Each structure stands twice: as structure tokens, then as C-alpha cells.
Amino acid sequence: MRIFYEPEGAAFGDCMPMYWDGQYYLFHQRDPALDAPLSVPLGWALVTTKDFVRFEDQGEVISGEGDAAPDRYIFAGSVYRGPDGAFEANYTGFNDLREGTGQPTQVLMRASSDDLTHWTKEGAFKLPPQPGYDSGDWRDPFVFWDEERSQWTLILGTRSDVPKIHRTGRTVWFSSPDAKDWTFEGDLYAPGLYTGHEMPDEFHIGETWYLLTTEYSDKSKTVYVRSDSAVGPWHRPPDDAFDGRAYYAARTASDGERRFLFGWVANKQGNRDANTSWWGGTLVVHEVVTRENGTLGVVPPTELTEAVMAGAHTLAPERIEAGNGRVSCVVADASSTSYGFEADVTIAPGTRQFTLQFAGDPELDDWYGYTIDLTQNRLTFDRQPNWPWNRYDNKGLERPLPNVSAGGLIHLQLIVDEGVAVLYLEDIALSARINEPAGSALGFDVEDGDIEVTNARLSNVVGRI
């Protein structure tokens, strides 16, 4: 079985997670058109899980209505339990055939359910695009109860009604006493940074509120801001992301004690490393953690780590001394297509950088690699060597490392599952798609310095989870 969830014969799209009665309900778009994403109408499918290891497929639960309907496609929204106890799904109805007809292509719609699996459509919301906003970008409603103001809040992603080259992306909000009659309150967050906002999410941990959005004109990833209030003002932390460009459209859900981030690692066009990322891919779940300064990081869910690393065997310690130059060392052969690896790495003072290399061939010196650059304090992913250029499109596959330095010790964990790789370095994650592995070797590469690898373990997952 796979480590990360991916529907059979389809790509996993935008996730609308909800926790209820001991398990997570992961509503999502499921796209069978792997060679031409979003080319056929999509509904909402549902998969449930209690541990992020085993998933129960419930199939499609909300379907589109045909070429003449406003919800030819069922685009993203959110699911919540309303004040009357029924479950509500607010979603974006999309009909691309309305382009140029004067009718809105995106309409907010509603469905209700008693059990989260059987849904009855209730029709369109009376929440059309407001004057001055783009009627073709008015989507992904997210509803939550604001205890601070004792009211329901609905937020959605949109932009101004101007040419899309202008960076007018914004999150707007509505308020309601009963989650039925809504009052438009205007812009919630309009930073002038992106051409559009998608998949907004809002929650609080303690006294701090966090607002998430996914943007597609800068780094194409999920970012967040924080505030002391549910309505702002909002402040961006120096590192405002959870992962890199390959991890998209992430939303969160909580069981009341822990919070998890549900996003997808994008497929690549034609399953080729050199090609760009496409819409849809494989579900990857991160657990959200709060740092002492109130910013957010992510780690692998404990349940997933325990399942992946069960039965792991210990590897011998390695000291890799490069001095002034580059030295590589193979530490294991990961012959499985799905495996977990973890290790502690002690970095000698003055070291320039080192790379965790995997899925490689040491004879050809051909690898995928996560590089920890200690001169620029950043983590990057690339094909090594990336020659002939450009055989891997790694735009946006990087993360800042403000707390990693030469002379310190770090813990890293790598999870590889067929075409997906995720590295966790302390509480920073970087996901990537790997389609053309050169081999199965795993090791380290050091430039201008020394490292010592200890407590290393490798676990073969195939046939076990």
C-alpha cells in the first residue's frame, strides 16, 4: 500500500477537511484526466481516516449537474456543522461554458447532510460577487464560528475586477448570526502581493488567529499571516509558508488538541522531471506545531512516523570529511519504492553545505538531493547534477533555515513514496515530485566541511502499511 493517499487512477485535488466523531472527513476533487487536468467536470469525493495511515474511500458524494447547470464542476468550499445541528457544505459551482455569456462562471452554492456521506443540494447562495470584484474569481468559501464576536464568518478568495496582471488578490468576508443570512463586510486581507487568493482558511491557537491563503503568482504555495483578532490587522512572519511550491492548496482541521494541514503534492506534466507542475496530485498531511514566538511549523504526524519507521534497521555511523572540496558517501541502498529514513547530523564549524542524496546511482553520480546550504541558510531540492540543464524544474522548491548553522546538530526525516518525496528538517518541510530515479542508493554529499551522521535508520515500507 501507499504511504500517502492517492485515488486509484486519478489525481487528488483541493481538500476540504473536517474532523467529526473520531475521524477526519477529507472531501476533495478527484480528477481522472491525468494528461489534461480539469478538462472534465468534477464533483466532490470523500475519503476518511483516523490515523493518516489507513484511508476508507467513500467515492463521489456531491456531483455536478451537467452543461446547463451553474455547478457543472464542484469546486472547493468547506464543510461545517451548522447551528441547527445539520452538516453544511458550501461550495463553488463552476461552469466554464458560461464564459462570454454574461452569466457568472463561479457561483457559491450549498448542500446539507445528516451523516456527511449523503448530501442534498440546497441551491445557490445569495452571495454574488460584489461590485468591484472579479466575477470569474469568487470562490472557495470557508465558514467558521467566531467566538470572539459570537457570529458566523464566511471568507472566500477573490480579486479586484481589473486585468489579472495587477496584484489585487484578496480575501473577503461575510458575517451572519445564523449561518443563513449573510452581511458583506468587505476585505479581510488585501496585501497587494498576489494576483489572486485561493483556498482561504482561518483558525486560532490560543489567543492568536491565523489566516491561510494559497497564491499562484509568486511562489505558488500556501502562506499565512497572523493577528490578535479574527478580523486583523494581519502580520506576515519572516517565513510565512509551510512547505514549497510542490505542496499546494492546503487547508487545516483539528480534533480540538492537534491541528493538521492537508495539501497535495503536484503531479508533473507528462510525469517528467523537467516539466512544470500540474493541478492535482497526491495527498500529504503535515501536523502543525506552534513555535515559542507564535509562528507555525510542521512535522510528520506521529501516527505516520510510527507506521513508516516500524521495523527500521539501524545504520552504522558515518563521518564525512570533505575539507576544501566535495566528498560523497553512500550509507544505504533503499531498494524499496516506499521507505522512511531518519538521522541526526552534526555539522562541523565552517561547513559550507551538505546534501541528503537519494534514489541515486553512485557510479553515475546521479541523484535527487535535499541541500542544506549553511552560507545562505536555506534548504533546496534539485536533481544532482542538474545537467544537461534543465532536467529538473525546481522553481520554488526551497525553504529558509533560520535556526540551522554550522557547528550544530539537526534531525532530519525523509519519506519517499513512489513518486513523492518529503523531507522534514526539525519543523520545516519540503515536498517534491520524483519521476525519473537513477537508482536506489541513499547517502550524503558534503562541500567544504565535515559532518557526522548518527542514529540513522532505514525502513522498507512496501507491503507493510
Side-chain angles (χ1 to χ4, degrees):
M1 294 178 65
R2 296 286 304 269
I3 298 173
F4 302 122
Y5 178 76
E6 184 177 298
E8 184 70 28
F12 187 101
D14 297 350
C15 186
M16 286 68 66
M18 178 184 179
Y19 179 81
W20 181 254
D21 196 24
Q23 64 181 341
Y24 288 88
Y25 289 76
L26 308 182
F27 299 89
H28 62 281
Q29 296 158 331
R30 187 175 295 182
D31 193 347
L34 297 175
D35 295 328
L38 300 176
S39 62
V40 298
L42 309 175
W44 275 13
L46 172 64
V47 64
T48 57
T49 183
K50 295 180 180 180
D51 56 10
F52 316 114
V53 176
R54 298 165 185 84
F55 295 88
E56 295 289 336
D57 186 0
Q58 311 293 337
E60 188 169 85
V61 294
I62 305 179
S63 302
E65 293 296 334
D67 292 353
D71 53 351
R72 183 170 184 256
Y73 288 74
I74 309 294
F75 273 4
S78 63
V79 179
Y80 64 98
R81 194 181 188 204
D84 59 359
F87 298 106
E88 301 282 344
N90 295 339
Y91 64 90
T92 307
F94 173 68
N95 191 328
D96 55 325
L97 303 179
R98 290 184 169 186
E99 289 280 359
T101 67
Q103 295 178 292
T105 58
Q106 298 186 8
V107 179
L108 301 189
M109 307 189 76
R110 186 202 318 256
S112 62
S113 174
D114 293 326
D115 61 5
L116 290 171
T117 57
H118 300 87
W119 292 86
T120 300
K121 290 186 177 180
E122 306 290 346
F125 264 129
K126 294 180 180 179
L127 300 179
Q130 301 295 300
Y133 294 91
D134 187 347
S135 63
D137 281 292
W138 185 260
R139 60 178 177 270
D140 307 344
F142 178 82
V143 177
F144 66 95
W145 173 252
D146 179 359
E147 304 99 326
E148 181 182 6
R149 288 168 177 75
S150 297
Q151 65 184 19
W152 292 90
T153 297
L154 181 151
I155 62 177
L156 60 85
T158 183
R159 61 183 316 280
S160 297
D161 190 14
V162 296
K164 205 159 189 174
I165 190 67
H166 296 289
R167 288 173 281 186
T168 64
R170 57 202 57 224
T171 300
V172 300
W173 69 295
F174 294 79
S175 64
S176 173
D178 55 10
K180 297 186 183 300
D181 297 317
W182 295 93
T183 300
F184 182 61
E185 302 287 358
D187 291 341
L188 179 67
Y189 180 54
L193 297 171
Y194 316 115
T195 63
H197 287 193
E198 293 189 309
M199 295 293 285
D201 182 9
E202 188 171 349
F203 58 88
H204 68 89
I205 299 176
E207 300 299 317
T208 302
W209 285 86
Y210 298 91
L211 175 65
L212 277 59
T213 191
T214 296
E215 56 81 17
Y216 47 81
S217 61
D218 181 27
K219 300 294 192 300
S220 298
K221 59 186 179 182
T222 301
V223 294
Y224 77 95
V225 289
R226 57 180 178 155
S227 175
D228 294 331
S229 167
V231 297
W234 301 99
H235 306 283
R236 280 200 298 167
D239 176 15
D240 62 349
F242 302 94
D243 202 320
R245 183 174 187 256
Y247 189 78
Y248 198 75
R251 280 253 179 93
T252 73
S254 173
D255 63 1
E257 296 183 359
R258 303 162 69 195
R259 183 166 292 273
F260 298 90
L261 189 70
F262 302 83
W264 45 266
V265 175
N267 290 329
K268 286 209 162 193
Q269 181 180 2
N271 295 321
R272 297 298 305 273
D273 283 352
N275 292 346
T276 58
S277 297
W278 273 17
W279 187 92
T282 304
L283 170 69
V284 171
V285 182
H286 299 316
E287 182 167 356
V288 178
V289 295
T290 308
R291 304 184 180 113
E292 289 185 5
N293 63 3
T295 62
L296 302 177
V298 294
V299 296
T302 303
E303 300 89 333
L304 183 64
T305 295
E306 290 176 350
V308 169
M309 298 307 295
H313 62 274
T314 301
L315 305 176
E318 296 283 353
R319 183 171 183 84
I320 306 167
E321 300 177 338
N324 295 317
R326 181 176 73 91
V327 171
S328 297
C329 176
V330 175
V331 299
D333 183 74
S335 56
S336 169
T337 57
S338 297
Y339 57 89
F341 172 78
E342 65 177 359
D344 293 325
V345 179
T346 302
I347 311 164
T351 299
R352 176 181 292 272
Q353 69 178 40
F354 72 92
T355 300
L356 172 61
Q357 299 178 317
F358 64 101
D361 183 334
E363 295 298 322
L364 296 176
D365 196 20
D366 188 358
W367 312 81
Y368 293 109
Y370 284 100
T371 296
I372 291 84
D373 187 330
L374 300 158
T375 63
Q376 299 186 34
N377 294 107
R378 66 174 187 156
L379 169 68
T380 60
F381 178 87
D382 206 350
R383 192 71 185 250
Q384 298 187 333
N386 196 344
W387 181 90
W389 190 85
N390 172 14
R391 67 177 182 141
Y392 195 98
D393 178 8
N394 76 331
K395 178 184 176 182
L397 295 185
E398 62 179 82
R399 300 283 286 114
L401 296 176
N403 299 318
V404 175
S405 61
L409 182 147
I410 59 173
H411 181 79
L412 54 82
Q413 181 175 347
L414 173 69
I415 301 176
V416 175
D417 186 24
E418 297 187 10
V420 176
V422 184
L423 180 72
Y424 295 94
L425 200 162
E426 304 295 351
D427 61 4
I428 290 174
L430 184 58
S431 301
R433 180 67 63 172
I434 54 171
N435 292 120
E436 302 169 72
S440 57
L442 184 149
F444 288 87
D445 179 288
V446 183
E447 293 186 20
D448 297 350
D450 309 331
I451 65 170
E452 185 174 6
V453 180
T454 57
N455 301 317
R457 300 195 304 150
L458 177 66
S459 176
N460 178 6
V461 173
V462 168
R464 191 161 46 73
I465 291 181

